[in-house]
């Protein structure tokens, strides 16, 4: 991962963005020697958001199973038939 100072980002934003688009490697922006933000390619960010949404859905499903909030297959199928007509 590439690391850049916030001052470098201010001065060389166009070059840093061009490098980011070419390498697809995230850039860690530091401010006063501390991590401040990540700069990532738009496609990579959107991919991460889709992956996170999928993982959240799986987590909700696992939680529902643990809490016993499930519907037997036959009952679910009957309910869906009403919507699919």
């Amino acid at each position: 991962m590439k690391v850049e100072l916030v001052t470098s980002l201010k001065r060389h934003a166009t070059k840093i963005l061009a490098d980011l688009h070419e390498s697809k490697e995230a850039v860690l922006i530091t401010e006063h020697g501390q991590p401040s933000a990540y700069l990532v390619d738009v496609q990579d960010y959107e991919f991460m958001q889709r992956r996170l949404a999928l993982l959240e859905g799986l987590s909700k499903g696992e939680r529902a199973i643990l809490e016993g909030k499930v519907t037997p297959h036959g009952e679910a199928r009957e309910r869906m038939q009403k919507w699919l007509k």
Side-chain angles (χ1 to χ4, degrees):
M1 176 182 321
K2 206 170 169 189
V3 178
E4 292 286 348
L5 301 171
V6 72
T7 53
S8 296
L9 178 61
K10 290 177 184 177
R11 292 182 187 140
H12 308 288
T14 303
K15 182 183 181 331
I16 292 171
L17 286 173
D19 291 346
L20 172 69
H21 293 307
E22 184 178 318
S23 71
K24 303 289 186 190
E25 182 180 13
V27 179
L28 174 62
I29 306 299
T30 61
E31 193 171 21
H32 306 295
Q34 298 296 316
S36 182
Y38 285 102
L39 188 59
V40 296
D41 181 72
V42 170
Q43 290 176 334
D44 290 340
Y45 176 79
E46 289 172 350
F47 176 78
M48 287 186 288
Q49 291 299 106
R50 287 191 304 272
R51 179 180 278 179
L52 182 58
L54 179 60
L55 290 173
E56 287 173 350
L58 290 171
S59 177
K60 286 179 182 179
E62 287 180 336
R63 192 174 324 117
I65 290 169
L66 291 173
E67 294 173 357
K69 297 178 180 176
V70 294
T71 303
H73 176 74
E75 185 181 330
R77 188 173 184 187
E78 285 177 26
R79 287 184 188 176
M80 292 302 296
Q81 288 300 328
K82 295 175 187 175
W83 293 98
L84 297 175
K85 288 184 180 182

